mmCIF file of all heavy atoms in Angstrom:
data_model
loop_
_atom_site.group_PDB
_atom_site.id
_atom_site.type_symbol
_atom_site.label_atom_id
_atom_site.label_comp_id
_atom_site.label_asym_id
_atom_site.label_seq_id
_atom_site.Cartn_x
_atom_site.Cartn_y
_atom_site.Cartn_z
ATOM 1 N N ASP A 295 -3.151 -16.248 -3.300
ATOM 2 C CA ASP A 295 -2.493 -15.278 -4.275
ATOM 3 C C ASP A 295 -2.373 -13.896 -3.609
ATOM 4 O O ASP A 295 -1.430 -13.193 -3.749
ATOM 5 C CB ASP A 295 -3.359 -15.213 -5.543
ATOM 6 C CG ASP A 295 -3.411 -16.558 -6.265
ATOM 7 O OD1 ASP A 295 -2.442 -17.343 -6.246
ATOM 8 O OD2 ASP A 295 -4.570 -16.898 -6.727
ATOM 9 N N VAL A 296 -3.397 -13.509 -2.899
ATOM 10 C CA VAL A 296 -3.400 -12.248 -2.140
ATOM 11 C C VAL A 296 -2.300 -12.188 -1.141
ATOM 12 O O VAL A 296 -1.498 -11.296 -0.997
ATOM 13 C CB VAL A 296 -4.779 -11.908 -1.572
ATOM 14 C CG1 VAL A 296 -4.751 -10.613 -0.753
ATOM 15 C CG2 VAL A 296 -5.826 -11.824 -2.677
ATOM 16 N N LEU A 297 -2.247 -13.311 -0.468
ATOM 17 C CA LEU A 297 -1.187 -13.446 0.591
ATOM 18 C C LEU A 297 0.206 -13.368 -0.009
ATOM 19 O O LEU A 297 1.071 -12.692 0.551
ATOM 20 C CB LEU A 297 -1.350 -14.872 1.327
ATOM 21 C CG LEU A 297 -0.245 -15.210 2.299
ATOM 22 C CD1 LEU A 297 -0.131 -14.206 3.513
ATOM 23 C CD2 LEU A 297 -0.391 -16.687 2.847
ATOM 24 N N ALA A 298 0.431 -14.088 -1.065
ATOM 25 C CA ALA A 298 1.715 -13.956 -1.773
ATOM 26 C C ALA A 298 2.006 -12.585 -2.224
ATOM 27 O O ALA A 298 3.236 -12.082 -2.111
ATOM 28 C CB ALA A 298 1.713 -14.995 -2.903
ATOM 29 N N GLY A 299 1.083 -11.838 -2.657
ATOM 30 C CA GLY A 299 1.225 -10.399 -3.082
ATOM 31 C C GLY A 299 1.777 -9.584 -1.961
ATOM 32 O O GLY A 299 2.649 -8.714 -2.061
ATOM 33 N N ILE A 300 1.054 -9.734 -0.777
ATOM 34 C CA ILE A 300 1.407 -8.899 0.452
ATOM 35 C C ILE A 300 2.825 -9.244 0.805
ATOM 36 O O ILE A 300 3.576 -8.408 1.082
ATOM 37 C CB ILE A 300 0.431 -9.214 1.524
ATOM 38 C CG1 ILE A 300 -1.019 -8.797 1.063
ATOM 39 C CG2 ILE A 300 0.798 -8.445 2.804
ATOM 40 C CD1 ILE A 300 -2.106 -9.182 2.114
ATOM 41 N N ALA A 301 3.213 -10.560 0.832
ATOM 42 C CA ALA A 301 4.539 -11.019 1.287
ATOM 43 C C ALA A 301 5.539 -10.474 0.294
ATOM 44 O O ALA A 301 6.600 -10.049 0.767
ATOM 45 C CB ALA A 301 4.540 -12.534 1.394
ATOM 46 N N GLY A 302 5.217 -10.578 -0.938
ATOM 47 C CA GLY A 302 6.209 -10.049 -1.955
ATOM 48 C C GLY A 302 6.568 -8.601 -1.768
ATOM 49 O O GLY A 302 7.693 -8.105 -1.802
ATOM 50 N N ALA A 303 5.468 -7.758 -1.622
ATOM 51 C CA ALA A 303 5.594 -6.314 -1.310
ATOM 52 C C ALA A 303 6.463 -6.061 -0.083
ATOM 53 O O ALA A 303 7.275 -5.195 -0.118
ATOM 54 C CB ALA A 303 4.258 -5.660 -1.211
ATOM 55 N N LEU A 304 6.271 -6.891 0.909
ATOM 56 C CA LEU A 304 7.084 -6.681 2.160
ATOM 57 C C LEU A 304 8.515 -6.990 1.932
ATOM 58 O O LEU A 304 9.416 -6.350 2.481
ATOM 59 C CB LEU A 304 6.404 -7.552 3.284
ATOM 60 C CG LEU A 304 5.058 -6.976 3.838
ATOM 61 C CD1 LEU A 304 4.446 -8.124 4.714
ATOM 62 C CD2 LEU A 304 5.303 -5.802 4.717
ATOM 63 N N MET A 305 8.813 -8.051 1.091
ATOM 64 C CA MET A 305 10.164 -8.376 0.861
ATOM 65 C C MET A 305 10.844 -7.292 -0.037
ATOM 66 O O MET A 305 11.993 -7.035 0.140
ATOM 67 C CB MET A 305 10.341 -9.793 0.280
ATOM 68 C CG MET A 305 9.914 -10.774 1.304
ATOM 69 S SD MET A 305 10.290 -12.513 0.727
ATOM 70 C CE MET A 305 12.006 -12.541 0.770
ATOM 71 N N ALA A 306 10.051 -6.627 -0.947
ATOM 72 C CA ALA A 306 10.624 -5.563 -1.716
ATOM 73 C C ALA A 306 10.852 -4.340 -0.756
ATOM 74 O O ALA A 306 11.780 -3.556 -1.079
ATOM 75 C CB ALA A 306 9.485 -5.153 -2.806
ATOM 76 N N ALA A 307 10.244 -4.282 0.285
ATOM 77 C CA ALA A 307 10.532 -3.192 1.317
ATOM 78 C C ALA A 307 11.635 -3.643 2.297
ATOM 79 O O ALA A 307 11.795 -2.945 3.327
ATOM 80 C CB ALA A 307 9.303 -2.853 2.058
ATOM 81 N N ASP A 308 12.244 -4.785 2.021
ATOM 82 C CA ASP A 308 13.549 -5.278 2.752
ATOM 83 C C ASP A 308 13.219 -5.983 4.013
ATOM 84 O O ASP A 308 14.034 -6.104 4.893
ATOM 85 C CB ASP A 308 14.380 -4.113 3.022
ATOM 86 C CG ASP A 308 15.846 -4.568 3.165
ATOM 87 O OD1 ASP A 308 16.169 -5.501 2.567
ATOM 88 O OD2 ASP A 308 16.578 -3.871 4.029
ATOM 89 N N LEU A 309 11.995 -6.511 4.206
ATOM 90 C CA LEU A 309 11.732 -7.476 5.403
ATOM 91 C C LEU A 309 12.430 -8.755 5.013
ATOM 92 O O LEU A 309 12.367 -9.156 3.819
ATOM 93 C CB LEU A 309 10.333 -7.568 5.704
ATOM 94 C CG LEU A 309 9.672 -6.650 6.721
ATOM 95 C CD1 LEU A 309 9.704 -5.250 6.200
ATOM 96 C CD2 LEU A 309 8.282 -7.082 7.144
ATOM 97 N N SER A 310 12.892 -9.545 6.026
ATOM 98 C CA SER A 310 13.361 -10.864 5.863
ATOM 99 C C SER A 310 12.229 -11.807 5.519
ATOM 100 O O SER A 310 11.075 -11.475 5.656
ATOM 101 C CB SER A 310 14.028 -11.303 7.148
ATOM 102 O OG SER A 310 13.065 -11.598 8.176
ATOM 103 N N ALA A 311 12.536 -12.979 4.989
ATOM 104 C CA ALA A 311 11.509 -13.973 4.590
ATOM 105 C C ALA A 311 10.750 -14.321 5.775
ATOM 106 O O ALA A 311 9.494 -14.350 5.711
ATOM 107 C CB ALA A 311 12.225 -15.125 4.021
ATOM 108 N N LEU A 312 11.286 -14.524 6.941
ATOM 109 C CA LEU A 312 10.529 -14.900 8.122
ATOM 110 C C LEU A 312 9.517 -13.862 8.524
ATOM 111 O O LEU A 312 8.374 -14.055 8.773
ATOM 112 C CB LEU A 312 11.404 -15.350 9.303
ATOM 113 C CG LEU A 312 10.744 -15.772 10.581
ATOM 114 C CD1 LEU A 312 10.242 -17.236 10.331
ATOM 115 C CD2 LEU A 312 11.660 -15.692 11.778
ATOM 116 N N ASP A 313 10.069 -12.599 8.615
ATOM 117 C CA ASP A 313 9.185 -11.433 9.128
ATOM 118 C C ASP A 313 8.195 -11.164 7.956
ATOM 119 O O ASP A 313 7.030 -10.896 8.374
ATOM 120 C CB ASP A 313 10.075 -10.270 9.251
ATOM 121 C CG ASP A 313 10.909 -10.311 10.581
ATOM 122 O OD1 ASP A 313 10.615 -11.131 11.370
ATOM 123 O OD2 ASP A 313 11.743 -9.438 10.726
ATOM 124 N N ALA A 314 8.514 -11.203 6.711
ATOM 125 C CA ALA A 314 7.551 -10.961 5.729
ATOM 126 C C ALA A 314 6.439 -11.972 5.695
ATOM 127 O O ALA A 314 5.267 -11.656 5.554
ATOM 128 C CB ALA A 314 8.235 -10.895 4.317
ATOM 129 N N GLY A 315 6.811 -13.195 5.899
ATOM 130 C CA GLY A 315 5.810 -14.276 5.877
ATOM 131 C C GLY A 315 4.897 -14.088 7.093
ATOM 132 O O GLY A 315 3.646 -14.135 6.904
ATOM 133 N N GLU A 316 5.378 -13.872 8.238
ATOM 134 C CA GLU A 316 4.529 -13.690 9.406
ATOM 135 C C GLU A 316 3.693 -12.415 9.304
ATOM 136 O O GLU A 316 2.535 -12.458 9.631
ATOM 137 C CB GLU A 316 5.320 -13.684 10.761
ATOM 138 C CG GLU A 316 4.453 -13.743 11.951
ATOM 139 C CD GLU A 316 5.168 -13.928 13.207
ATOM 140 O OE1 GLU A 316 6.387 -13.873 13.271
ATOM 141 O OE2 GLU A 316 4.444 -14.114 14.280
ATOM 142 N N VAL A 317 4.291 -11.406 8.989
ATOM 143 C CA VAL A 317 3.497 -10.086 8.959
ATOM 144 C C VAL A 317 2.361 -10.168 7.852
ATOM 145 O O VAL A 317 1.324 -9.776 8.124
ATOM 146 C CB VAL A 317 4.486 -8.899 8.609
ATOM 147 C CG1 VAL A 317 3.749 -7.592 8.324
ATOM 148 C CG2 VAL A 317 5.460 -8.655 9.801
ATOM 149 N N ALA A 318 2.728 -10.705 6.744
ATOM 150 C CA ALA A 318 1.762 -10.916 5.619
ATOM 151 C C ALA A 318 0.656 -11.780 6.109
ATOM 152 O O ALA A 318 -0.593 -11.557 5.845
ATOM 153 C CB ALA A 318 2.468 -11.444 4.393
ATOM 154 N N ALA A 319 0.971 -12.889 6.823
ATOM 155 C CA ALA A 319 -0.129 -13.839 7.243
ATOM 156 C C ALA A 319 -0.988 -13.179 8.263
ATOM 157 O O ALA A 319 -2.220 -13.378 8.198
ATOM 158 C CB ALA A 319 0.553 -15.145 7.905
#
């Protein structure tokens, strides 16, 4: 759940899904 929250915030900041997923992980 924490990981999903970080990834979601990154996508709101306009990162792509691939970048948001890797950066969040």
Side-chain angles (χ1 to χ4, degrees):
D295 303 318
V296 175
L297 172 63
I300 298 171
L304 288 166
M305 290 188 72
D308 204 33
L309 268 69
S310 70
L312 183 75
D313 286 348
E316 184 173 10
V317 171

